[in-house]
Amino acid sequence: MLIDRDLGNIYGVETKRLNEQVRRNIARFPDRYRFQLTKDEMKELVANCDRFNMLKHSTSAPYAFTEFGVSMLPSVLNSQKAIDTSIRIIDAFVAMRSFMVQNADVLRRIAHLERHQIDTDEKIDMILDKMEEQSPKLLPEQIFQTGCVWDAWSYVSDLVRSAKQRIVLIDNFVDDRVLTMLDKRAEGVSATIHSRYYNQFQVDLKKHNEQYPVINFVQLPYKNHDRFLIIDDEVYLLGASVKDMGVGLCAVTKLQASPETILGMLI
């Protein structure tokens, strides 16, 4: 199939004149020879082929010519160039049909492989969706029974991994295990610990920051009873220090308070 503008360029005539000649001899061009594209068909051509970008702002849909319509054009254009060009186009159509016939089996196999690939992709998507449905979610409230050390550690680790911008931990008692936890954060996410000053932890923090992304430390002005974990713009109340989560019965609860409200109270 070729559109009128392409044929006009090939035959060396204006598109308008080509269509005029066809209209004057419309009896020679039934619908199976020539038809006007619908708006949807024109949009599909523009979307799938850069060559048809010029149709994007066209006010009228072009006419398309089939192999039979192309072979009929020389009789209405009345030029030797049109005849010679039409012969070359028809030869190309014949060669293309011959190729398709000779390679029909290969083309069928390719089509079968494409359908099989689509079916496989759909099955994989279904499996991934099912896995996502059955995977544990980050609930806004979580209670850990005594001894559930790994469950508590995994839950807080997932909170750390979910951060997009910042992590702030407010905890009186921290050690090198907390540094390991915060190293699970994504690249570019800042981390700050508000805690009491302990010589051993300061040594560990200094060594850590010499090799890994820096974790900032802020000395708490006074002892705080509760522990808080800020993930971006959300605040979680921790029922135990991060290093001791799950050792005893404890809970993690998402608060309605803003991070700035909690941080402002540390002054």
Side-chain angles (χ1 to χ4, degrees):
M1 182 189 73
L2 294 171
I3 64 171
D4 49 11
R5 183 173 300 191
D6 287 340
L7 288 169
N9 291 333
I10 292 172
Y11 288 132
V13 298
E14 293 182 358
T15 305
K16 179 179 179 181
R17 180 176 179 276
L18 184 145
N19 285 320
E20 285 177 349
Q21 289 298 104
V22 171
R23 283 194 294 272
R24 291 170 183 167
N25 300 270
I26 196 63
R28 300 186 181 187
F29 294 89
D31 290 341
R32 64 181 182 276
Y33 283 29
R34 169 186 175 268
F35 59 91
Q36 191 170 23
L37 297 178
T38 65
K39 290 184 178 180
D40 289 339
E41 290 170 337
M42 188 167 65
K43 289 180 180 178
E44 186 174 351
L45 282 179
V46 172
N48 294 320
C49 185
D50 294 339
R51 188 167 64 86
F52 294 107
N53 280 339
M54 72 283 192
L55 299 177
K56 187 180 297 184
H57 304 294
S58 178
T59 57
S60 60
Y63 286 92
F65 290 77
T66 65
E67 176 184 348
F68 305 107
V70 172
S71 63
M72 185 64 69
L73 273 175
S75 65
V76 300
L77 292 178
N78 297 321
S79 73
Q80 187 60 44
K81 180 178 180 180
I83 294 173
D84 295 339
T85 302
S86 180
I87 291 173
R88 289 197 297 271
I89 294 175
I90 297 302
D91 287 343
F93 275 127
V94 171
M96 183 172 61
R97 187 186 300 113
S98 176
F99 173 83
M100 295 179 66
V101 170
Q102 293 175 7
N103 296 276
D105 187 54
V106 174
L107 295 174
R108 278 195 298 269
R109 291 183 181 182
I110 293 174
H112 174 74
L113 289 173
E114 289 178 346
R115 288 194 299 270
H116 181 71
Q117 183 63 47
I118 292 173
D119 293 341
T120 301
D121 290 344
E122 290 176 349
K123 290 177 181 178
I124 292 175
D125 288 340
M126 290 176 60
I127 292 172
L128 292 176
D129 290 342
K130 184 63 66 175
M131 291 174 63
E132 178 66 21
E133 292 174 3
Q134 296 179 354
S135 63
K137 300 296 189 298
L138 283 173
L139 302 176
E141 182 178 286
Q142 186 71 51
I143 300 175
F144 300 101
Q145 189 175 358
T146 299
C148 295
V149 177
W150 175 250
D151 291 343
W153 181 266
S154 297
Y155 179 83
V156 179
S157 295
D158 287 341
L159 284 176
V160 169
R161 293 189 185 97
S162 70
K164 301 295 189 297
Q165 297 175 336
R166 64 172 175 174
I167 300 171
V168 180
L169 175 64
I170 304 169
D171 192 337
N172 284 313
F173 305 103
V174 293
D175 60 15
D176 58 337
R177 287 172 290 183
V178 176
L179 302 179
T180 300
M181 169 72 75
L182 295 180
D183 280 342
K184 299 177 186 291
R185 69 190 189 278
E187 183 179 355
V189 175
S190 65
T192 303
I193 297 174
H194 292 256
S195 186
R196 304 298 294 169
Y197 186 91
Y198 297 100
N199 288 332
Q200 183 58 56
F201 180 71
Q202 290 297 323
V203 172
D204 291 339
L205 181 62
K206 184 176 183 297
K207 294 295 184 182
H208 170 277
N209 289 346
E210 289 177 358
Q211 181 175 352
Y212 295 103
V214 172
I215 296 176
N216 301 303
F217 178 85
V218 178
Q219 172 72 22
L220 282 174
Y222 52 83
K223 188 174 181 180
N224 293 273
H225 181 273
D226 289 324
R227 301 90 171 171
F228 300 91
L229 179 64
I230 296 173
I231 303 294
D232 296 332
D233 296 323
E234 298 177 338
V235 181
Y236 293 84
L237 174 63
L238 307 180
S241 293
V242 169
K243 65 184 182 61
D244 299 322
M245 291 290 292
V247 174
L249 178 65
C250 63
V252 178
T253 306
K254 184 177 177 180
L255 302 181
Q256 295 298 318
S258 70
E260 285 63 39
T261 298
I262 301 298
L263 294 172
M265 293 180 178
L266 297 178
I267 300 175

